Amino acid sequence: MSVFELWAPYAEQVDLDLGDRVLPMKQAERPGRPGWWRAEAESATGDYAFRLDGGPSRPDPRSRRQPYGVHGASRLEDPGAFGWTDADWHGRALRGSVLYELHLGTFTPEGTFDAAIGRLDHLARLGVDFVELMPVAAFGGEHGWGYDGVGLWAVHEPYGGPDGLRRFVDACHAHGLGVVLDVVYNHLGPSGNYLGEFGPYFTDTHVTPWGPAVNLDAAGSDEVRAFLVGNALYWLRENHLDGLRLDAVHALVDNRALHVLEELAAAVDGLAASSGRILHLIAETDRNDPHTVTPRPAGGQGVHAQWSDDFHHALHSALTGEKQGYYCDFGALAAIEKTMTSAYFHDGVYSTFRGRCHGRPVDTAALDADRFIVSLQTHDQVGNRAAGDRIGFTLSEGLRRVGAALLLTAPFTPQLFMGEEWGADTPWQYFTDHPEPDLAEAVRNGRRAEFAHYGWSAESVPDPQDPETFQRSKLNWDEPARPEHRALLDWYRDLIALRRARPDLADPSFASIDVSCDEEDRWLLIRRGTLRVAANLSTEPRLIPLDT
């Protein structure tokens, strides 16, 4: 006998659809938590769905599996039935680690968890410590970036479903690799988004770039917050993940005294303590507010680390010379110097791109640099370019090596984007597979309109719905063996090994780093304890005084 439960506070009647029969559900008694419905029944196939007030059947908002896609019935799934082999794995610290971001669908030609397992030896030899998976929650269509997820508790079936994810995590742990999963709590995608039919999961009190905000502080928000916190703990507990990367937390609009990020951090810390595992929360935020990663006892939200885009922007602009868009305040080597020694460039100073002052300073005596995750490339910084071109497409071999060296010898926690380590020749473009024609056309036109503002013609912007856009974005695993790629791969391996071998490079204190630069001659000198990192960004040889 299985127990089916659903929160649907506005429904007059809820029915359980088991395919061969429909059963009425009864209101459940939960003191202080109205709106819950409950039924006990056997499902002949394991499939089920819910009907609200005689309406169409809808998948379970907490469905653990969607074998027929996000519009179809849910299926009962027992996480405890999987045969884990990682009993001796207790996680690893972010301090001193290197992360590797990958997209499951384009990491291998097959685009599955099982195929990705076959490439873990490459990551182990590279020397990275964590794999960061882009979102795998169920979304409409066969392929996409994953940020249009609607089945937040289910794993996208074309990738291999929930057991595919567990096999992947288990194999990563056997290779000594932790796994961080990207989760999206600030919005749901448009295709298969039935969540609002069940209850007040969204509110028009606040507005986000994706429409009404997730309801974190209006009436009914207690259950919405419990839904999100429970989802986070589900991924960590039942799927043995080592951490979560929280997408765009600046869009989690919450005016309650206890912010949802602090509530989530407390819950994850509690699970870590009770399970004896090291667990991590990593926030993506563009607010440049160190309060996010300040520990809770010190009055912060207690998230363990955050992406630091300013470092990327400073490094990218200095290497490429690009000054358009949000790069307009960067380009000078002094911007690298500032971000290296204080994490943020915009720390309360004027941001030309935003037209206002932005950010606040980091207390570098109270926070260590390893709380800030930095990169030379990410899915955003590559895929949100019109053509999805990687930074290496326009850089010389020497500047590619300079970029890697500055990234991997910095005091922060570095992250690579798949293929970066060998200078992949494949682009990584924006691709979608919306089955709804109107939605597909809206996405296509929106993409073209976005880049028309920067002078790109419609024909030059890849069509997100064209299957070839997706295919072009898959890594070519023949490349790492080619001499022109193998040399850069060896450089990345050597840098990661050096980072691990030399304690000065693993020191996360801001006091451990000193930077000087020469804007005219285009060189940087970085002091890390007894070590010196000299970087020449000019086209000519330079004499750099190492002891100044």
Side-chain angles (χ1 to χ4, degrees):
M1 191 70 67
S2 298
V3 176
F4 300 86
E5 295 182 309
L6 176 72
W7 184 59
Y10 299 152
E12 296 293 328
Q13 178 57 48
V14 178
D15 296 313
L16 175 64
D17 183 354
L18 297 174
D20 58 346
R21 64 195 190 283
V22 176
L23 303 175
M25 300 182 72
K26 295 181 179 181
Q27 292 191 5
E29 293 295 330
R30 293 191 177 189
R33 299 181 64 187
W36 280 89
W37 299 77
R38 189 176 190 276
E40 294 185 12
E42 289 289 352
S43 172
T45 62
D47 294 345
Y48 70 101
F50 297 114
R51 296 183 183 179
L52 305 178
D53 295 323
S57 294
R58 298 300 193 204
D60 183 359
R62 288 174 169 79
S63 167
R64 266 57 166 186
R65 191 175 179 196
Q66 288 298 120
Y68 312 109
V70 296
H71 302 284
S74 303
R75 178 168 292 177
L76 294 172
E77 204 271 332
D78 179 15
F82 183 78
W84 292 97
T85 65
D86 65 349
D88 294 331
W89 176 266
H90 301 290
R92 62 189 316 160
L94 278 179
R95 176 163 293 184
S97 292
V98 179
L99 284 73
Y100 186 96
E101 184 187 28
L102 67 86
H103 174 264
L104 224 295
T106 51
F107 184 59
T108 64
E110 300 86 354
T112 64
F113 290 113
D114 289 336
I117 289 172
R119 297 296 178 181
L120 294 182
D121 284 345
H122 167 82
L123 300 185
R125 290 195 303 271
L126 177 60
V128 299
D129 304 283
F130 285 90
V131 174
E132 183 175 304
L133 288 174
M134 288 176 63
V136 301
F139 59 87
E142 290 289 315
H143 56 259
W145 280 20
Y147 295 93
D148 284 338
V150 291
L152 300 191
W153 299 65
V155 178
H156 194 50
E157 282 292 314
Y159 290 162
D163 274 354
L165 172 63
R166 293 175 190 131
R167 287 192 298 271
F168 178 80
V169 173
D170 201 45
C172 282
H173 290 169
H175 282 78
L177 298 167
V179 185
V180 174
L181 176 65
D182 198 339
V183 293
V184 184
Y185 293 149
N186 51 58
H187 75 287
L188 268 70
S191 180
N193 181 1
Y194 303 115
L195 200 57
E197 297 181 14
F198 289 92
Y201 282 92
F202 303 95
T203 174
D204 56 10
T205 304
H206 312 295
V207 177
T208 74
W210 309 282
V214 174
N215 178 18
L216 299 173
D217 55 11
S221 59
D222 287 354
E223 291 292 354
V224 179
R225 293 163 75 102
F227 177 86
L228 298 181
V229 172
N231 179 261
L233 297 181
Y234 165 73
W235 290 117
L236 298 170
R237 181 189 293 119
E238 310 298 340
N239 297 283
H240 291 206
L241 289 159
D242 300 284
L244 301 174
R245 182 261 192 189
L246 309 173
D247 180 66
V249 301
H250 49 270
L252 295 172
V253 187
D254 181 7
N255 288 324
R256 289 168 65 154
L258 177 64
H259 194 279
V260 68
L261 285 182
E262 185 178 349
E263 182 178 349
L264 182 56
V268 171
D269 287 346
L271 177 59
S274 64
S275 64
R277 297 167 55 207
I278 303 173
L279 301 174
H280 307 286
L281 278 183
I282 300 169
E284 180 204 17
T285 171
D286 72 352
R287 294 183 63 192
N288 282 17
D289 184 359
H291 181 69
T292 303
V293 293
T294 298
R296 287 180 291 113
Q301 293 176 331
V303 176
H304 306 115
Q306 69 170 80
W307 279 25
S308 183
D309 283 344
D310 281 11
F311 179 90
H312 168 272
H313 298 348
L315 190 53
H316 179 99
S317 186
L319 291 170
T320 65
E322 292 183 6
K323 296 275 290 180
Q324 76 277 15
Y326 47 66
Y327 295 127
C328 59
D329 286 338
F330 299 94
L333 298 186
I336 298 179
E337 179 181 354
K338 182 176 181 180
T339 56
M340 278 271 196
T341 55
S342 57
Y344 300 144
F345 180 80
H346 292 113
D347 55 2
V349 302
Y350 188 78
S351 166
T352 306
F353 176 69
R354 297 176 178 88
R356 59 170 174 80
C357 291
H358 184 69
R360 65 189 301 175
V362 172
D363 183 348
T364 55
L367 290 177
D368 283 336
D370 61 326
R371 289 184 177 270
F372 300 92
I373 294 179
V374 298
S375 57
L376 182 59
Q377 301 181 64
T378 70
H379 77 272
D380 273 332
Q381 304 302 341
V382 177
N384 283 328
R385 296 172 68 85
D389 49 313
R390 297 169 180 267
I391 191 173
F393 287 14
T394 57
L395 294 184
S396 65
E397 178 72 12
L399 285 180
R400 290 187 192 186
R401 289 172 176 251
V402 167
L406 293 175
L407 172 69
L408 290 166
T409 61
F412 308 106
T413 298
Q415 176 176 282
L416 313 181
F417 181 59
M418 62 177 196
E420 171 186 338
E421 69 273 21
W422 72 73
D425 288 335
T426 49
W428 201 76
Q429 299 176 331
Y430 181 66
F431 47 85
T432 57
D433 183 38
H434 298 301
E436 302 86 352
D438 290 347
L439 177 58
E441 188 63 17
V443 170
R444 181 182 295 115
N445 291 336
R447 187 73 172 173
R448 290 169 175 169
E450 176 185 359
F451 287 101
H453 177 72
Y454 298 103
W456 290 75
S457 66
E459 296 75 22
S460 61
V461 178
D463 179 0
Q465 286 286 123
D466 185 348
E468 283 304 309
T469 304
F470 170 60
Q471 293 298 328
R472 278 193 301 270
S473 299
K474 289 178 178 275
L475 289 178
N476 179 356
W477 283 93
D478 291 334
E479 289 181 350
R482 297 172 183 168
E484 65 271 25
H485 293 284
R486 188 171 59 244
L488 186 61
L489 177 57
D490 289 341
W491 178 246
Y492 269 85
R493 285 174 175 162
D494 290 345
L495 285 170
I496 293 172
L498 180 67
R499 181 182 179 86
R500 183 167 288 113
R502 299 301 295 266
D504 285 340
L505 294 180
D507 188 341
S509 67
F510 282 99
S512 73
I513 185 167
D514 182 71
V515 181
S516 57
C517 63
D518 186 311
E519 298 285 0
E520 183 176 353
D521 285 347
R522 301 290 292 167
W523 58 256
L524 279 158
L525 179 63
I526 302 162
R527 303 168 187 84
R528 303 293 316 277
T530 61
L531 300 181
R532 302 289 185 269
V533 180
N536 179 11
L537 281 72
S538 76
T539 57
E540 302 294 331
R542 298 298 184 199
L543 183 64
I544 301 176
L546 296 183
D547 294 325
T548 60

